[in-house]
Amino acid sequence: MTQAPERYIGGGVPRKEDPALVTGRANWTDNIKLPGMLHVSLLRSPYAHAKITSIDVSAAREQPGVVAAFTGDDLAEDWDKNPQANPAAVTGYGMSLDQRVRQAQEGGESSVTDTPETTGEQPVDEKTRTFVSWIPTDDTKIPNHWPVARDEVNYAGDIVAVVVATDRYKAQDALEFIEVDYEPMEPVVDVEAAVADGAPLVHEDIGTNESFTWTLATGDIDDAFNRADVTIKERYLQQRLIPNAIETRGVVANPDAITGGYTVYSSTQIPHILKYVLAVYCDVPEQQLRVVAPDVGGGFGSKLNVYAEEVIALVLARKLGVPIKWIEDRSENYLATIHGRGQVQDIELAATSEGKILGMRVNLLADMGAYLMLDGPGIPILGAFVYPGVYTFDAYDFSVTGVFTNMTPTDAYRGAGRPEACFAIERIIEALAREVGLDPVEVRRRNFYEPFDEPTDTPAGIQYDSMNMPMVLDRVLELADYEGLLEEQRRRRESGDPVQLGIGFSTYTEICGLAPSQVLAGLRTGGSGWETAKVQMLASGKVEVITGTSPHGQGHVTSWSQIAADALGVDVNDVEILHGDTALSPYGRDTYGSRSLPVGGVSVHLAAQQVVDKARKISAHMLEAAEGDMEFEGGRFSVAGSPDQNVTIQDVAAAAYMNYDLPEGMEPVLSEEVFWDPPNFTFPFGAHICVTEVDTETGFVKIRDYFGVDDCGPVINPIIVDGQLHGGIAQGVAQALYEEAIYDEEGNLTTGSMVDYLIPGAPELPKYTLERTVTPSPTNVMGVKGVGEAGTIGAPPAVINSVVDALSPYGITHIDMPASPWKVWQAIQDAQGQEAGTRDADLSGRPSQAADSTDTEGGTDS
Amino acid sequence: MRRIQMTVDGRAHVAEVEPRLLLLHHLRENLGIGGVHTGCNTTSCGACTVHIDGESVKSCTVLAVQADGHEVTTVRGIMENGLWHPMQQAFHEAHGLQCGYCTPGMIMASISLLKENPDATEQEIREGLEGNLCRCTGYENIVKAVQLVQQHTNGQPA
Ligand code: FES
Ligand code: FES
């Protein structure tokens, strides 16, 4: 008899990735050593904005161990070989803009066709060198982005020269012998200053600091504001963040003597996209390029890009004919790897006196930094679709202007546009609650969608897949004992406790599962959103799964094994997952945007199902039964009604491999490949409560508890999902309380090290109390939604709402992120100064050590 | 160049090194121990943590010449009789790692944390690991892993 099959999906299968990682045997890019390999060091501009008046690398060439040294001009023709090709910008990964426009028009997508000047003309000169793929409008201004600057540097960190030497120390030493004369120019280091009249221009040839303006409008927004009983206008700042994957970036480019091509190993999230862009940028035939993402030590969006250093390594490998290695220093990582966030958000709400939202206006300034990176312009646009959040209303008006500044370029950082959106709506809903005199829980309830499990229209013109907000909110209120917390808060307020209690909410949704390719085309992302998987059973009955996703901590090897093992009815340890090497998996759309499970994992499931379908036919043939009579359970096909007549899927795999007795016309082996393009995104949702203790005397915020009820649909591996939430919430808490990239007036990054930039350590982060509900997505057969960014999106408003709630007796209604002790303390001082007039205002200039002489509301002295 | 001799993971190594060479780079580049990771080179992240004579040290704060004559243990040298060290096992069981880049340093720091304070409270564990940054896990499961080892050591079921 067949025994009950082991089901892996939903179980906490221990990670298959771990053995190599806990024993120090992983294969990081920096562990790769090849015979004859040379090392690259890069000289970077100390100026945020300057002309290079002269540059001389000849003395560097004379240094011990140095093999070569180059300026930007020396290398210019190495990436200028292909006069037609403008990598991402014009071709959009293989599709001309022309084609994209046409496809979008045929598909009826509005964001391209609504632009009146759509002519199909290329928005950039084909000679423009750029890494940008997502070009939001026809008139997007795209600056030249040379991998090594030629006559001008535009941010502190821009590369100006390259040294190649026999080891890293020697390459580094030689940098000191490069002579560069700069003529400093006035930098622009503030996104608002950049759009003011008379602002210095980051790129003079472009003639403006505004790269693009992109809009989205639904419903009658003026009518909504005319009808409103209350209107609220707020401004929020999204500080720049530095992703700080603990493994920095690195690349090794190896000329292949046999094929005449190249293998590029890179610490990247996107080997497939990288391969295409490198091929075009450097004019290496794509079929002669192989890109490998070895073990990758975290990404968070920062390795979802094509970087100058990858291009430099490849052209040097071609030029010098030897393997070339570049490993990023942490200090370079701060300057030269993309930053995240960097937005000024103006948001307005129109509502009734009952707290029902009627309409919303959003105006953003988005800091692009000095150049446009792969998806940089698209980040605020991704956010545009979730500003309405978990609330339904009639009219929505959104606009974003992308702005050049003389700072590190920005792009995707965990959440990418959606944490910004979630923060804005979840903050302004609190303002609405205050305005109409409702509890923040109640005002949310009044605007929630009725629970739904089929695609439902939203104010942003897209369709959410499934949602049940009352359920997650009710559960998190129970979990946190909201009533008990309110009681404690009352007590502390009444007794004038110097440590006040804050209760902060966040009810969020976000966009996962990037993405339907047609929608991506309509948005002009320059990319496609399908994913692929190949499931092959070997002669021995073991299984190989080839996936186009590229994990860097997410545990795909384990989760994909669970999916395949369940579908095929085999042991999870009999499945191997192959990924991250374009020679193994020529196709793939890689890992970002919480897409891997809802697109890539689903593809594994679909391919495994196809293997089962074929195996079923063969099993019927083997047992001389009708295909329709075959039952499949626990990896065994049996004939309905006579369970003794059966074969295992491993037997079938062997028969399929041997190919001497298969059904007429059937091809040998069990190997099926699927390319799956999802019909919609997926939308996880949840409700979080952050409980803070705010010391009003020191401004210090302690997160006492963090409760979350999240719904990402059915869960493949609860251990991994919890881990994603822990890490995601941690990065959200980090934005709310600790992290900020700060530039001085000259454009120097003053938080350019782990000492100055406050990455939270174990003592700074709370323990989490998490639960889940399960609302399947109708977008895919597995019902799965994705979870990689949920925590980072949900957490910041929960934390800030909590801090503001704790301080509400002072009349404090907002504190910008990060809510550092100094900022909190200052807000209290300001609030008291306003209340008490000049007496306390005189104290406001005192340093924080003087806190003992200030009065809190309850009159407590310490 | 200076001639140095040290025992690394139980094996003696003699090398000629520049006086400025960091122990971290000596282990990685000269001895090929890729299980010691570089995160910052500036004593901030803890990814490079090893034991010198049983004490946990960030190997980027030590010059190779300073380790002359000493015994260095990396994450590759803590298995016993072919079995994982209990801390390695606990990180696996508690899902105390995601990308795994901080993990060798985290494991080495955790081992010496419990050696110094076997009954460390949760808060003490968190503070003891302050010098080791992890960007993936939010630390919750790292703390759990250390507690798992405490439970095993105290003979309680995990
Ligand atoms: S590499 Fe040594 S502490 Fe970061
Ligand atoms: S597991 Fe990725 S940094 Fe800790």
Side-chain angles (χ1 to χ4, degrees):
Chain A
M1 294 299 298
T2 49
Q3 62 199 46
E6 182 163 6
R7 299 286 302 175
Y8 295 108
I9 291 180
V13 174
R15 291 207 322 172
K16 296 167 82 171
E17 288 84 346
D18 291 353
L21 297 169
V22 299
T23 56
R25 299 279 170 189
N27 187 26
W28 314 103
T29 301
D30 195 15
N31 288 2
I32 296 170
K33 292 179 181 177
L34 301 170
M37 187 168 78
L38 299 178
H39 299 258
V40 166
S41 265
L42 302 165
L43 186 68
R44 295 179 184 275
S45 168
Y47 291 100
H49 201 190
K51 292 238 181 296
I52 301 172
T53 51
S54 75
I55 180 162
D56 183 356
V57 296
S58 53
R61 287 193 182 116
E62 305 308 315
Q63 298 309 306
V66 172
V67 174
F70 303 100
T71 66
D73 281 347
D74 294 337
L75 293 173
E77 63 182 41
D78 287 280
W79 36 71
D80 215 10
K81 281 185 187 302
N82 185 354
Q84 287 305 316
N86 177 312
V90 174
T91 60
Y93 311 135
M95 204 198 302
S96 72
L97 185 67
D98 215 9
Q99 282 171 301
R100 278 196 278 155
V101 170
R102 231 180 305 118
Q103 190 196 58
Q105 280 167 340
E106 283 159 11
E109 285 298 336
S110 61
S111 56
V112 172
T113 51
D114 282 353
T115 309
E117 299 86 352
T118 293
T119 57
E121 268 175 34
Q122 294 165 347
V124 268
D125 182 295
E126 65 196 13
K127 295 291 282 182
T128 303
R129 280 301 182 261
T130 175
F131 297 100
V132 71
S133 165
W134 192 329
I135 302 169
T137 61
D138 268 357
D139 56 359
T140 298
K141 310 290 186 299
I142 303 175
N144 248 314
H145 186 178
W146 295 101
V148 182
R150 298 182 66 182
D151 36 28
E152 189 175 309
V153 288
N154 291 304
Y155 71 99
D158 230 350
I159 301 167
V160 295
V162 180
V163 169
V164 188
T166 50
D167 76 46
R168 278 172 77 185
Y169 279 55
K170 294 198 175 84
Q172 196 76 33
D173 288 346
L175 295 182
E176 284 174 28
F177 295 85
I178 298 173
E179 287 187 24
V180 192
D181 289 328
Y182 296 98
E183 186 184 304
M185 299 159 77
E186 206 184 327
V188 188
V189 289
D190 176 89
V191 67
E192 285 184 274
V195 294
D197 281 346
L201 295 175
V202 177
H203 302 285
E204 275 168 359
D205 52 332
I206 285 178
T208 169
N209 287 329
E210 296 183 19
S211 173
F212 63 90
T213 295
W214 185 91
T215 60
L216 175 70
T218 63
D220 189 338
I221 193 71
D222 292 333
D223 179 60
F225 275 81
N226 288 335
R227 283 191 290 135
D229 302 319
V230 293
T231 62
I232 299 164
K233 193 170 161 67
E234 298 267 290
R235 163 168 281 207
Y236 304 125
L237 302 178
Q238 294 287 335
Q239 77 270 36
R240 272 178 174 253
L241 299 178
I242 300 178
N244 268 301
I246 304 298
E247 183 208 27
T248 58
R249 290 185 294 124
V251 56
V252 175
N254 185 29
D256 186 324
I258 296 167
T259 64
Y262 303 88
T263 300
V264 174
Y265 304 88
S266 182
S267 178
T268 182
Q269 298 172 228
I270 52 165
H272 297 92
I273 295 172
L274 179 60
K275 175 179 164 170
Y276 173 76
V277 178
L278 279 181
V280 179
Y281 202 112
C282 303
D283 194 27
V284 172
E286 194 182 351
Q287 74 277 19
Q288 292 189 333
L289 193 57
R290 170 183 172 204
V291 175
V292 181
D295 285 309
V296 174
F300 317 111
S302 72
K303 296 172 183 174
L304 157 52
N305 232 305
V306 179
Y307 282 100
E309 295 87 354
E310 290 165 321
V311 172
I312 291 168
L314 178 56
V315 303
L316 290 177
R318 175 169 64 192
K319 216 176 174 66
L320 304 174
V322 293
I324 297 289
K325 182 181 205 173
W326 171 78
I327 299 294
E328 187 180 52
D329 264 344
R330 180 59 59 185
S331 57
E332 289 184 290
N333 180 265
Y334 275 85
L335 291 173
T337 290
I338 60 98
H339 292 179
R341 317 285 188 262
Q343 293 183 5
V344 178
Q345 306 173 293
D346 286 306
I347 175 166
E348 283 177 85
L349 219 52
T352 68
S353 53
E354 278 79 53
K356 180 78 191 79
I357 302 171
L358 300 172
M360 177 196 280
R361 283 199 192 104
V362 176
N363 270 294
L364 304 183
L365 288 179
D367 182 356
M368 295 290 107
Y371 303 103
L372 300 183
M373 295 299 283
L374 193 71
D375 291 315
I379 301 310
I381 295 174
L382 209 49
F385 295 100
V386 283
Y387 273 86
V390 293
Y391 313 116
T392 175
F393 49 87
D394 295 335
Y396 175 49
D397 193 273
F398 173 94
S399 152
V400 56
T401 298
V403 180
F404 296 118
T405 59
N406 291 108
M407 298 186 278
T408 296
T410 63
D411 204 320
Y413 170 56
R414 202 167 191 173
R418 291 155 288 164
E420 296 93 313
C422 180
F423 184 82
I425 177 66
E426 287 303 294
R427 288 288 300 130
I428 203 165
I429 194 103
E430 299 271 324
L432 176 60
R434 241 183 354 257
E435 189 70 25
V436 298
L438 285 175
D439 185 277
V441 173
E442 180 55 27
V443 81
R444 284 179 167 84
R445 284 191 197 283
R446 292 189 184 182
N447 290 286
F448 280 161
Y449 292 80
E450 290 289 315
F452 58 89
D453 53 15
E454 285 300 322
T456 296
D457 289 333
T458 77
I462 56 172
Q463 291 192 316
Y464 289 164
D465 57 348
S466 58
M467 182 177 283
N468 188 340
M469 292 311 298
M471 174 177 66
V472 287
L473 181 57
D474 288 345
R475 184 62 199 131
V476 81
L477 289 171
E478 254 172 57
L479 200 58
D481 182 20
Y482 185 45
E483 292 305 321
L485 289 171
L486 283 175
E487 180 50 38
E488 181 185 345
Q489 186 179 55
R490 229 174 342 249
R491 264 201 322 272
R492 291 205 193 202
R493 282 181 182 171
E494 278 162 14
S495 70
D497 193 332
V499 179
Q500 288 289 317
L501 190 77
I503 310 165
F505 288 91
S506 165
T507 49
Y508 74 89
T509 187
E510 57 129 338
I511 309 180
C512 291
L514 311 188
S517 294
Q518 291 234 333
V519 176
L520 294 183
L523 292 173
R524 311 166 57 117
T525 63
S528 51
W530 47 263
E531 198 41 79
T532 179
K534 189 174 191 179
V535 172
Q536 48 200 28
M537 291 200 69
L538 308 174
S540 60
K542 309 288 186 198
V543 182
E544 284 176 349
V545 176
I546 297 164
T547 175
T549 65
S550 195
H552 37 283
Q554 297 87 343
H556 295 179
V557 169
T558 304
S559 301
W560 287 197
S561 293
Q562 291 174 259
I563 293 170
D566 270 2
L568 301 171
V570 303
D571 191 289
V572 76
N573 293 313
D574 285 348
V575 183
E576 190 60 63
I577 309 296
L578 307 171
H579 62 80
D581 180 346
T582 63
L584 270 173
S585 62
Y587 296 102
R589 295 297 304 169
D590 305 321
T591 287
Y592 45 85
S594 304
R595 72 184 303 274
S596 293
L597 175 60
V599 197
V602 168
S603 298
V604 172
H605 173 80
L606 293 172
Q609 289 300 343
Q610 288 189 8
V611 167
V612 172
D613 290 345
K614 181 171 179 181
R616 184 190 306 277
K617 290 191 175 73
I618 299 172
S619 71
H621 180 77
M622 290 167 76
L623 296 171
E624 296 177 349
E627 188 191 335
D629 289 340
M630 299 311 300
E631 288 175 346
F632 182 59
E633 215 194 324
R636 198 174 282 270
F637 293 93
S638 56
V639 181
S642 34
D644 289 349
Q645 273 188 281
N646 64 65
V647 286
T648 66
I649 195 164
Q650 288 84 359
D651 295 336
V652 177
Y657 187 89
M658 296 311 288
N659 192 32
Y660 58 78
D661 184 18
L662 292 187
E664 181 87 24
M666 182 170 281
E667 289 179 7
V669 312
L670 291 181
S671 171
E672 298 291 332
E673 188 172 25
V674 156
F675 291 83
W676 189 66
D677 205 317
N680 191 5
F681 300 91
T682 57
F683 298 86
F685 57 91
H688 289 189
I689 295 178
C690 176
V691 182
T692 55
E693 291 180 341
V694 181
D695 187 329
T696 57
E697 291 170 347
T698 62
F700 186 79
V701 176
K702 173 179 156 60
I703 296 182
R704 192 178 76 184
D705 284 301
Y706 197 102
F707 301 95
V709 176
D710 298 278
D711 194 322
C712 58
V715 161
I716 305 302
N717 189 323
I719 294 178
I720 289 176
V721 168
D722 282 343
Q724 287 292 316
L725 282 163
H726 295 162
I729 295 170
Q731 285 181 1
V733 168
Q735 173 169 20
L737 294 183
Y738 303 112
E739 298 184 11
E740 180 175 23
I742 300 171
Y743 284 83
D744 68 13
E745 282 170 14
E746 266 80 58
N748 300 304
L749 179 64
T750 60
T751 52
S753 76
M754 281 176 161
V755 175
D756 302 303
Y757 185 90
L758 299 179
I759 301 170
E764 280 82 41
L765 287 170
K767 220 170 134 71
Y768 314 99
T769 307
L770 304 179
E771 277 192 14
R772 274 189 296 275
T773 57
V774 178
T775 303
S777 171
T779 303
N780 60 70
V781 290
M782 301 182 78
V784 294
K785 291 197 169 192
V787 72
E789 294 158 299
T792 313
I793 290 166
V799 177
I800 295 296
N801 285 341
S802 185
V803 174
V804 171
D805 182 53
L807 299 176
S808 60
Y810 294 83
I812 289 169
T813 57
H814 184 67
I815 290 180
D816 283 325
M817 299 186 289
S820 60
W822 188 86
K823 247 189 238 167
V824 171
W825 185 84
Q826 192 65 48
I828 294 169
Q829 303 314 300
D830 290 351
Q832 288 181 328
Q834 275 165 16
E835 248 170 48
T838 50
R839 183 183 59 88
D840 280 354
D842 288 340
L843 301 174
S844 62
R846 292 181 170 223
S848 56
Q849 291 90 316
D852 59 357
S853 61
T854 61
D855 292 339
T856 64
E857 265 232 317
T860 312
D861 281 317
S862 58
Chain B
M1 299 293 266
R2 288 245 323 255
R3 188 182 163 81
I4 57 170
Q5 184 275 330
M6 65 181 82
T7 308
V8 180
D9 297 334
R11 276 175 59 186
H13 292 274
V14 178
E16 298 266 331
V17 300
E18 279 190 71
R20 64 172 174 166
L21 184 71
L22 300 178
L23 175 61
L24 166 63
H25 297 155
H26 179 56
L27 295 173
R28 287 187 52 79
E29 303 301 327
N30 294 341
L31 308 186
I33 301 175
V36 183
H37 297 166
T38 312
C40 66
N41 279 329
T42 55
T43 330
S44 300
C45 74
C48 64
T49 306
V50 298
H51 293 172
I52 299 183
D53 302 333
E55 301 267 326
S56 137
V57 174
K58 293 177 177 176
S59 62
C60 71
T61 65
V62 180
L63 297 170
V65 292
Q66 291 173 304
D68 186 15
H70 292 274
E71 187 165 334
V72 177
T73 310
T74 80
V75 76
R76 288 193 182 169
I78 56 174
M79 286 174 57
E80 281 167 28
N81 307 322
L83 292 176
W84 286 359
H85 187 281
M87 195 63 77
Q88 292 172 306
Q89 188 65 35
F91 268 69
H92 175 56
E93 283 173 21
H95 189 32
L97 64 150
Q98 290 180 27
C99 79
Y101 198 78
C102 70
T103 309
M106 217 41 109
I107 286 175
M108 297 311 281
S110 299
I111 290 172
S112 70
L113 188 158
L114 285 193
K115 198 171 133 201
E116 280 161 31
N117 185 1
D119 300 316
T121 62
E122 177 185 338
Q123 193 54 31
E124 285 168 342
I125 294 170
R126 287 182 179 268
E127 277 158 19
L129 295 177
E130 192 166 26
N132 289 67
L133 296 176
C134 173
R135 200 54 162 167
C136 297
T137 63
Y139 304 101
E140 172 134 341
N141 288 345
I142 289 175
V143 173
K144 272 190 205 146
V146 178
Q147 290 173 328
L148 210 54
V149 174
Q150 286 178 318
Q151 287 161 13
H152 279 305
T153 316
N154 298 343
Q156 294 160 12

